[in-house]
Amino acid sequence: MAQPLVKKDDDRDDEEYSPFLGIEKGAVLQEARVFNDPQLDPRRCSQVITKLLYLLNQGETFTKIEATEVFFAVTKLFQSRDIGLRRMVYLMIKELSPSADEVIIVTSSLMKDMTSKTDMYRANAIRVLCRITDGTLLTQIERYLKQAIVDKNPVVASAALVSGIHLLETTPEIVKRWSNEVQEAVQSRAALVQFHALALLHQIRQNDRLAVSKLVTSLTRGTVRSPLAQCLLIRYTTQVIREAATTQTGDRPFYDFLESCLRHKAEMVIFEAARAITELNGVTNRELTPAITVLQLFLSSSKPVLRFAAVRTLNKVAMTHPMAVTNCNIDMESLISDQNRSIATLAITTLLKTGNESSVDRLMKQITNFMSDIADEFKIVVVEAIRSLCLKFPLKYRSLMNFLSNILREEGGFEYKKAIVDSIVILIRDIPDAKENGLLHLCEFIEDCEFTYLSTQILHFLGTEGPKTSDPSKYIRYIYNRVHLENATVRAAAVSTLAKFGAMVDALKPRVFVLLRRCLYDGDDEVRDRATLYLNTVGSDGEVIETDKVVKDFLFGSLDIPLANIETSLKNYEPAEQPFDINSVPKEVKTQPLAEKKAPGKKPAGLGAPPSGPPSTVDAYEKLLSSIPEFSDFGKLFKSSAPVELTEAETEYAVNVVKHIFDRHVVFQYNCTNTIPEQLLENVTVIVDASEAEEFAEVASKPLRSLPYDSPGQIFGAFEKPEGVPAVGKFSNMLRFIVKEVDPTTGDVEDDGVEDEYQLEDLEVVAADYVMKVGVSNFRNAWESIGPDFERVDEYGLGPRESLAEAVSAVISLLGMQPCEGTEVVANNSRSHTCLLSGVFIGNVKVLVRLQFGIDGPKEVAMKLAVRSEDDNVSDMIHEIVASG
């Protein structure tokens, strides 16, 4: 707790010094006896309270007896008339959080202060009372709080409004009765009062979409004067725009209000409006132009916070509308030398996103001088931006690759070096001409690499890509040097890489055999074992011995299964007569928890990182379903969908469903939540009507015995379908249950209940449910490896579409496959586009799709679909899905 007393050195004024260093809790509690003196010394009492507050805020805990003694001593200070001491007393009471019995002691004093003529007493007494009282006492003082909300003194009114915001979390039914007073406070001339009133009024109405829309409509007519309240109103307006069911062909509601805020006299309002416009869904270039203009003016502001806000917003806009930001490039180039490194970094990355091919070399010269002045975290951002630029302009790969290679040899931490290596790896995979140059850069880096993880990952990657180059022999020297000069982990990885070169390049087999023989005398067991394994696979004449195909694929092939899934499956594997089957490992990676919505996350890139986080959802769902006897013989789970909402938000019962796909069955998992505290649901089941799903037959169901308030539960229903067939259909759902009343204060449940029903939304099983999203690192290689044997090609007319991007998105959603290499993004005003998709069809059949779109007439979109898979029936089924969709 206590820190050693540090003597202040007058000769060293630059050192931080705190007057509280070294104080002891016991000594301060002794000092607190001053509160009991007949003649109170306000200054000394304030000092003691300050020390007590310091201890509490440093995490010091008081025992129940100590807290009670301090509390009762502090209450005696109400007899002092000193305003400064009274404010300290208020703070102390709030921090001590007295119990219900103790609250009674100070209630009368606080209520007296709440009706005092001293405004400072009134405001603070309101804050303290609302912090420490329960609902019963709050009812008694509700009249005073309503009066305080419309008080002429802005300090008192703001105190009541802020207290209402906090009370809304514990006693919402009381606060909602203040709507008229809060509505009046919204018209206040005081800036803070209007700000707090608007925040409270919105929270009161936030669950009523229509009420929020009316509130925004009334306030956007110009009745808000406070800049803070205006910023809040802009955010609420943006929320209404986002929720409004409008089409892009019609006028966007409230856009004129947002545009008018760009001419406000307060800079915070101007920026808030500009940011709101840039974040609108489907924003057009015409709508963006005025926002970009004001942000461009902020770039030359003398205030660093405005420059930072503007360049950060423009950086985000550049991701989706790079051409709209190009007019700001000259202003952003001047920010590269900004003293604030955060501003300079954002300016650099924005320029890299918006620059053209001719400006690449000039930017690289500026960045070279810039990199030495910033921290690793900023360098990583710049490296990622350079990677994106290289993928955008592949002809510039040589200069950009040389830049990455140069900074790779400079000093830096692990995350920074890993970001550079990942970028080089991605460029090698996606730009064929950059392969040999990039691999040599990586080989030169591992000569001096101090990070074992990066060295091993580079060696693994080198074993995959190196044998495919025109002159694989030039990498052998770098690899074999690792066997002599590194630690055991890197030496073992080097042995594996050597073996891959020997197995895949005929001319190198004798040489590799000799090198592997030398590794048999290594001092590490792992290195010797690997050398022995590979020598037994690569014969003495350098030829690969005829062994089991799975073994050869595992040792020398490319592994398309995520390592995290292999690790999880091996941990769950129990020794049995049957050996571990690598084909049983799921190829899909998800980290979404059960019955929860998918959280946004970054796609894995580069060499990948060590596995972290929870196991995949497929494993978690599979464990859950296998524990239910009715479903235990359904076989291996192929795929689980994301939760589909069957009820609207803020309804009595919240229900979503997860579709679990098996080879011959589909299981519906209904995740239910009861949102009514006064009700208990029993014998809860979902009645499913499958009359519009002729290929499905219900075979099992598992109802829910009880569903208490705010306690999620699951109901299951299982349907049989033809084996291996992507059967589709629509299912109607009715929630049926017995409802019993519950006393919310005591929790007692009535014995008698009433049977009731609740209509849910319809649920569809579509063709995309039978395709699992599985990406490939190099689409061209994967496409060529499958070959043209089962390729099916056809052309389709997609009819009139608003844009090419809409057509691409619709087909991706229809097929349910994983877009590859960023091809799901369509350039603005493009009249043609190619999209690459990959996935696994039910039955673990790999399938790849190449889509070519073109605008044929006035918004008429035509599409050429090419499918390759390991099964001709699957290729035909993909075409049937598109033809029928």
Side-chain angles (χ1 to χ4, degrees):
M1 182 281 304
Q3 302 178 46
L5 183 61
V6 177
K7 183 178 178 181
K8 184 173 180 180
D9 188 349
D10 294 332
D11 297 331
R12 300 183 65 182
D13 294 334
D14 57 329
E15 288 189 0
E16 293 185 5
Y17 172 77
S18 170
F20 301 109
L21 287 176
I23 64 174
E24 297 280 350
K25 182 179 76 171
V28 177
L29 291 175
Q30 288 291 330
E31 289 185 63
R33 293 180 179 180
V34 71
F35 301 158
N36 300 317
D37 289 351
Q39 297 295 326
L40 290 174
D41 182 350
R43 185 170 179 274
R44 190 178 174 195
C45 291
S46 294
Q47 289 175 345
V48 175
I49 291 178
T50 303
K51 291 180 181 180
L52 289 167
L53 290 170
Y54 174 79
L55 291 173
L56 287 169
N57 281 280
Q58 290 297 310
E60 186 67 67
T61 56
F62 289 2
T63 65
K64 179 66 177 174
I65 296 175
E66 290 171 344
T68 302
E69 289 178 353
V70 171
F71 174 75
F72 280 110
V74 168
T75 58
K76 295 180 181 180
L77 300 179
F78 274 103
Q79 60 187 310
S80 173
R81 298 291 182 183
D82 187 86
I83 294 179
L85 178 59
R86 182 67 59 88
R87 295 178 70 181
M88 298 298 291
V89 170
Y90 294 137
L91 282 174
M92 196 66 207
I93 292 173
K94 281 203 298 183
E95 288 296 327
L96 286 172
S97 299
S99 62
D101 296 336
E102 295 169 344
V103 166
I104 299 172
I105 306 298
V106 292
T107 299
S108 58
S109 298
L110 290 171
M111 291 183 69
K112 182 180 177 182
D113 283 356
M114 196 169 67
T115 56
S116 168
K117 293 182 179 179
T118 306
D119 291 333
M120 192 60 67
Y121 285 0
R122 293 165 60 202
N124 284 293
I126 288 170
R127 294 177 190 273
V128 177
L129 268 174
C130 292
R131 172 76 173 267
I132 66 176
T133 56
D134 57 10
T136 307
L137 181 60
L138 194 61
T139 307
Q140 300 176 24
I141 64 172
E142 184 180 5
R143 178 169 60 89
Y144 299 106
L145 292 173
K146 284 185 175 181
Q147 291 173 354
I149 288 174
V150 294
D151 195 276
K152 293 181 179 179
N153 188 294
V155 176
V156 176
S158 275
L161 290 165
V162 172
S163 298
I165 293 173
H166 293 304
L167 289 170
L168 201 60
E169 299 176 4
T170 54
T171 53
E173 65 283 350
I174 294 177
V175 180
K176 286 178 180 178
R177 297 202 291 259
W178 306 350
S179 290
N180 292 335
E181 287 76 16
V182 178
Q183 183 76 53
E184 186 178 340
V186 170
Q187 309 303 321
S188 171
R189 289 182 175 274
L192 272 181
V193 174
Q194 193 173 51
F195 170 63
H196 291 140
L198 178 56
L200 178 56
L201 189 61
H202 178 265
Q203 286 198 29
I204 291 173
R205 300 183 178 181
Q206 64 181 347
N207 294 330
D208 187 342
R209 233 182 244 183
L210 182 60
V212 171
S213 181
K214 288 181 178 178
L215 172 66
V216 169
T217 303
S218 64
L219 293 179
T220 51
R221 293 170 183 162
T223 57
V224 177
R225 301 179 186 87
S226 163
L228 287 169
Q230 189 83 349
C231 289
L232 267 187
L233 181 58
I234 290 171
R235 294 184 182 184
Y236 300 153
T237 303
T238 307
Q239 178 186 343
V240 172
I241 293 175
R242 192 178 296 118
E243 293 174 351
T246 58
T247 62
Q248 294 299 310
T249 54
D251 293 334
R252 195 189 296 274
F254 302 113
Y255 174 78
D256 291 340
F257 165 72
L258 294 179
E259 190 175 15
S260 68
C261 290
L262 296 174
R263 297 181 289 276
H264 200 276
K265 60 183 179 181
E267 291 170 336
M268 70 169 76
V269 176
I270 296 173
F271 170 71
E272 192 69 39
R275 189 181 68 169
I277 290 174
T278 61
E279 292 178 352
L280 292 175
N281 293 330
V283 63
T284 64
N285 286 332
R286 184 185 66 81
E287 293 170 330
L288 271 177
T289 300
I292 298 294
T293 302
V294 298
L295 291 173
Q296 185 175 5
L297 294 175
F298 283 170
L299 290 176
S300 55
S301 170
S302 60
K303 300 176 182 177
V305 67
L306 282 180
R307 297 199 302 273
F308 175 77
V311 74
R312 185 176 65 170
T313 305
L314 289 171
N315 186 278
K316 292 180 180 178
V317 176
M319 296 179 185
T320 53
H321 297 80
M323 296 305 296
V325 186
T326 52
N327 292 336
C328 307
N329 283 1
I330 296 175
D331 300 274
M332 280 188 287
E333 284 192 27
S334 65
L335 294 180
I336 295 176
S337 56
D338 197 284
Q339 293 181 348
N340 187 310
R341 296 290 83 186
S342 298
I343 295 175
T345 304
L346 287 167
I348 279 286
T349 54
T350 308
L351 285 168
L352 290 173
K353 293 172 186 173
T354 59
N356 52 41
E357 196 164 2
S358 60
S359 65
V360 170
D361 295 329
R362 187 180 78 251
L363 282 174
M364 287 299 102
K365 290 179 181 178
Q366 292 177 292
I367 295 173
T368 302
N369 301 326
F370 167 79
M371 292 292 281
S372 59
D373 298 332
I374 59 176
D376 278 6
E377 57 183 312
F378 297 125
K379 291 179 181 178
I380 292 172
V381 177
V382 175
V383 167
E384 291 174 348
I386 289 173
R387 179 180 69 203
S388 301
L389 184 69
C390 191
L391 293 174
K392 184 178 178 182
F393 303 119
L395 294 177
K396 289 289 182 180
Y397 79 88
R398 194 174 296 278
S399 61
L400 294 173
M401 187 76 80
N402 289 336
F403 173 81
L404 292 175
S405 175
N406 290 334
I407 62 175
L408 188 59
R409 289 192 288 269
E410 297 173 359
E411 292 186 4
F414 170 76
E415 292 297 334
Y416 172 47
K417 293 298 181 72
K418 182 178 180 298
I420 301 173
V421 171
D422 283 348
S423 298
I424 293 176
V425 166
I426 290 173
L427 297 181
I428 291 172
R429 286 175 174 169
D430 294 352
I431 305 176
D433 293 340
K435 179 178 289 187
E436 298 201 14
N437 191 17
L439 288 176
L440 279 176
H441 287 317
L442 292 178
C443 288
E444 291 169 358
F445 169 62
I446 58 174
E447 295 275 281
D448 302 309
C449 180
E450 56 185 310
F451 302 109
T452 298
Y453 175 77
L454 287 181
S455 295
T456 55
Q457 295 300 303
I458 290 173
L459 285 168
H460 289 318
F461 179 70
L462 192 59
T464 304
E465 298 293 332
K468 302 175 185 176
T469 59
S470 59
D471 184 14
S473 61
K474 61 185 175 183
Y475 306 109
I476 297 296
R477 175 175 62 86
Y478 295 101
I479 300 169
Y480 188 64
N481 283 346
R482 298 307 96 213
V483 177
H484 290 291
L485 305 175
E486 289 286 357
N487 58 48
T489 304
V490 178
R491 296 203 305 273
V495 168
S496 298
T497 304
L498 276 175
K500 288 184 178 180
F501 272 78
M504 300 171 69
V505 182
D506 293 338
L508 293 178
K509 286 176 182 176
R511 182 181 174 189
V512 167
F513 178 78
V514 173
L515 297 177
L516 289 177
R517 287 291 300 269
R518 295 176 185 174
C519 297
L520 293 176
Y521 305 100
D522 192 275
D524 183 75
D525 292 343
E526 174 74 15
V527 177
R528 292 197 305 272
D529 288 348
R530 289 198 186 195
T532 304
L533 170 66
Y534 291 121
L535 283 170
N536 288 335
T537 308
V538 181
S540 59
D541 57 353
E543 292 297 324
V544 177
I545 299 172
E546 290 298 326
T547 57
D548 184 82
K549 182 179 183 299
V550 175
V551 174
K552 286 196 291 186
D553 288 345
F554 183 77
L555 293 178
F556 304 118
S558 60
L559 193 63
D560 60 351
I561 302 172
L563 294 177
N565 290 10
I566 295 180
E567 182 184 19
T568 303
S569 299
L570 287 171
K571 286 180 178 177
N572 296 335
Y573 173 69
E574 296 180 0
E577 294 182 0
Q578 292 184 345
F580 178 77
D581 184 7
I582 193 73
N583 294 320
S584 66
V585 180
K587 297 181 180 180
E588 188 178 31
V589 175
K590 290 182 182 178
T591 55
Q592 172 189 338
L594 284 178
E596 290 185 8
K597 293 181 179 178
K598 182 186 285 187
K602 291 184 178 179
K603 294 187 288 185
L607 297 174
S612 61
S616 70
T617 308
V618 174
D619 290 335
Y621 280 135
E622 193 161 25
K623 189 175 294 184
L624 171 67
L625 295 172
S626 62
S627 65
I628 302 173
E630 292 89 339
F631 313 141
S632 59
D633 60 346
F634 283 2
K636 180 172 177 56
L637 176 64
F638 171 69
K639 176 187 176 182
S640 296
S641 73
V644 179
E645 298 296 335
L646 298 183
T647 57
E648 293 183 358
E650 309 301 334
T651 54
E652 300 94 319
Y653 313 110
V655 182
N656 64 51
V657 62
V658 177
K659 295 174 280 189
H660 301 296
I661 309 298
F662 294 85
D663 196 36
R664 294 181 56 197
H665 299 86
V666 175
V667 176
F668 298 142
Q669 174 186 328
Y670 298 92
N671 303 302
C672 310
T673 304
N674 172 18
T675 64
I676 305 177
E678 297 82 10
Q679 288 186 2
L680 170 70
L681 308 186
E682 292 186 346
N683 299 333
V684 189
T685 186
V686 176
I687 307 301
V688 183
D689 179 6
S691 57
E692 294 185 60
E694 298 177 355
E695 294 183 272
F696 293 85
E698 187 168 9
V699 293
S701 64
K702 190 175 184 298
L704 189 61
R705 183 177 299 175
S706 175
L707 187 62
Y709 165 68
D710 203 25
S711 179
Q714 286 86 34
I715 302 168
F716 295 89
F719 288 79
E720 190 174 19
K721 68 174 188 64
E723 183 174 357
V725 174
V728 298
K730 181 185 289 188
F731 300 81
S732 301
N733 306 280
M734 176 78 74
L735 190 68
R736 184 171 293 173
F737 48 83
I738 296 174
V739 60
K740 293 185 177 181
E741 296 296 325
V742 178
D743 188 333
T745 56
T746 63
D748 295 336
V749 183
E750 292 187 1
D751 295 333
D752 297 329
V754 179
E755 188 169 326
D756 200 358
E757 292 180 343
Y758 189 83
Q759 184 65 50
L760 305 176
E761 298 287 340
D762 290 345
L763 168 68
E764 285 190 90
V765 174
V766 296
D769 291 324
Y770 298 96
V771 183
M772 186 163 55
K773 291 183 177 181
V774 178
V776 293
S777 59
N778 189 315
F779 187 89
R780 187 175 68 174
N781 287 353
W783 181 266
E784 291 173 356
S785 65
I786 289 181
D789 294 343
F790 299 132
E791 182 176 353
R792 299 290 185 271
V793 183
D794 207 344
E795 295 183 356
Y796 300 89
L798 302 184
R801 299 280 178 170
E802 285 297 320
S803 65
L804 206 59
E806 182 198 338
V808 172
S809 177
V811 177
I812 292 174
S813 300
L814 177 66
L815 294 177
M817 298 175 70
Q818 178 67 46
C820 300
E821 303 176 4
T823 54
E824 72 275 18
V825 180
V826 182
N828 290 335
N829 303 321
S830 176
R831 298 190 62 83
S832 62
H833 183 71
T834 299
C835 182
L836 311 175
L837 307 177
S838 70
V840 173
F841 200 77
I842 188 168
N844 284 323
V845 180
K846 187 183 296 184
V847 58
L848 300 174
V849 168
R850 177 176 283 159
L851 303 167
Q852 292 176 292
F853 296 87
I855 297 181
D856 201 6
K859 295 190 176 181
E860 291 282 339
V861 178
M863 179 185 74
K864 182 178 180 181
L865 168 64
V867 183
R868 287 188 182 184
S869 76
E870 298 168 340
D871 187 327
D872 57 342
N873 292 325
V874 172
S875 299
D876 292 335
M877 285 181 185
I878 296 295
H879 277 277
E880 288 175 13
I881 292 171
V882 173
S884 60

